[in-house]
Amino acid sequence: MNTFGKAFRITTFGESHGRAIGVTIDGCPAGVAFDLEEVQKELDRRKPGQSKITTQRKEADSVEVLSGVFEGVTTGTPISLLIWNQDQRSKDYSHIKDVFRPSHADYTYHTKYGVRDYRGGGRSSARETAARVAAGAVAKAFLKNMGIDFNAYVSEVGDIRVSDDYSTLDFSEIENNIVRCPDPVKAEEMIELIDGVRKDRDTIGGIVSCVVSGVPAGLGEPVFDRLNAELGKAMLSINACKGFEYGSGFEGTKLRGSTHNDTFYTDAEGKVRTKTNLSGGIQGGISNGEDIYFRVAFKPVATIMVDQDSIDKEGNSATVSGKGRHDPCVVPRAVPIVEAMAALTIADMVVRSNGNRLDQFIK
């Protein structure tokens, strides 16, 4: 399916080398202030050609509003956003017309549909995520009214890793370097590693961490639409994502319950809090009011600039040559995508719980 969400719902469309990509947002409450510059700012964080460690495809990713906004606010009707493709080089992909690239969606798309758009991967291309980021910007604007904030950052590239304790990090540093890491020292190491991998005509993976603050207690639906399950689905739908963990994650399996349990207390303002937050802000699939934090793992980009063995669509042995413009490491540009998908997930849960008028969300 090309639709995500149930109450705050998006449908994306378009291909990497088609005329345009875009998104329709249905279920956004009426009365949300719509700032086109803020939407564009989010797209600029994701767009290609940002630096030496990203793909050199040049796309302005300028967004156009087709519907759903009037006099600077959302109307409650479907919002349609369009982004024109401007720098396609379809000829760069003619060499893979009849062969399957290793670890790409070429073979699986061909098997499922019997046809495939080989130009940049068509619908399977990460270019589609620009539409998600545009929609996520609208979700962020809506959730800002509730005091909900999103901070994603690169926490790991290869074997270079920042502190697991996000409270020790300065989020204001995230946008101050091209790798989007809040630790300036580690950021320089990551940049050097990615640039070295690029010069080797290879790629490398990494991890994006995200902290969502200000989420009220009570969001999430039992049993199958748990908030953590919906966040996991959202993140795993992103291209090149290989894993999702929240709270203590896999490391939590090494602890005893007596250490892992988050003890409740009532603070000076009468609010229920927990002394620790190994639950990652979610218990029983429902938010508990603490920060929600999670990590998203991304594999090395599948396209590498060296020859690889493969087969063609007839099953014969073939060689795939690395061509085109691709990221040596996807995680710097994945940061706004992770934030967008988190915002869309939370927005969907909020609208499910409260309805479709903005004044119903302001406490």
Side-chain angles (χ1 to χ4, degrees), residues 221-236:
E221 304 291 337
V223 169
F224 298 109
D225 288 356
R226 294 169 179 255
L227 180 53
N228 49 304
E230 294 296 288
L231 282 169
K233 176 182 177 180
M235 299 307 145
L236 290 165

Side-chain angles (χ1 to χ4, degrees), residues 17 88-95 118-119 323:
H17 286 235
Q88 311 97 307
R89 294 183 187 173
S90 299
K91 60 180 175 54
D92 287 351
Y93 296 92
S94 58
H95 68 294
Y118 59 85
R119 304 166 304 167
K323 295 181 181 179

Side-chain angles (χ1 to χ4, degrees), residues 160-335:
I160 301 171
R161 183 175 185 172
V162 302
S163 171
D164 286 334
D165 183 359
Y166 65 83
S167 67
T168 66
L169 302 173
D170 182 359
F171 290 162
S172 68
E173 292 285 344
I174 294 172
E175 294 297 323
N176 287 341
N177 57 75
I178 59 176
V179 78
R180 293 198 169 92
C181 173
D183 183 325
V185 175
K186 293 293 184 181
E188 287 303 315
E189 294 178 17
M190 292 175 179
I191 293 168
E192 184 177 354
L193 174 59
I194 296 171
D195 197 37
V197 167
R198 177 185 65 83
K199 292 175 181 177
D200 288 340
R201 303 165 66 82
D202 212 335
T203 61
I204 195 166
I207 292 175
V208 174
S209 295
C210 185
V211 181
V212 188
S213 58
V215 178
L219 293 184
E221 304 291 337
V223 169
F224 298 109
D225 288 356
R226 294 169 179 255
L227 180 53
N228 49 304
E230 294 296 288
L231 282 169
K233 176 182 177 180
M235 299 307 145
L236 290 165
S237 75
I238 301 172
N239 309 64
C241 178
K242 298 296 288 184
F244 168 82
E245 64 175 3
Y246 73 101
S248 61
F250 289 101
E251 288 298 310
T253 64
K254 302 173 183 177
L255 303 177
R256 295 190 179 192
S258 54
T259 303
H260 192 270
N261 287 346
D262 295 318
T263 304
F264 289 106
Y265 74 100
T266 304
D267 67 14
E269 298 177 353
K271 181 180 179 181
V272 175
R273 299 291 307 276
T274 59
K275 293 182 179 180
T276 54
N277 188 20
L278 294 172
S279 298
I282 303 171
Q283 294 171 326
I286 300 171
S287 61
N288 67 1
E290 300 294 331
D291 287 348
I292 294 172
Y293 65 95
F294 56 86
R295 286 160 39 96
V296 188
F298 291 90
K299 70 176 183 178
V301 175
T303 299
I304 56 178
M305 297 296 106
V306 297
D307 290 349
Q308 299 179 82
D309 293 333
S310 189
I311 61 171
D312 62 22
K313 63 182 183 181
E314 305 299 330
N316 302 310
S317 297
T319 298
V320 178
S321 300
K323 295 181 181 179
R325 297 162 294 176
H326 305 276
D327 294 89
C329 180
V330 74
V331 290
R333 293 176 61 215
V335 166

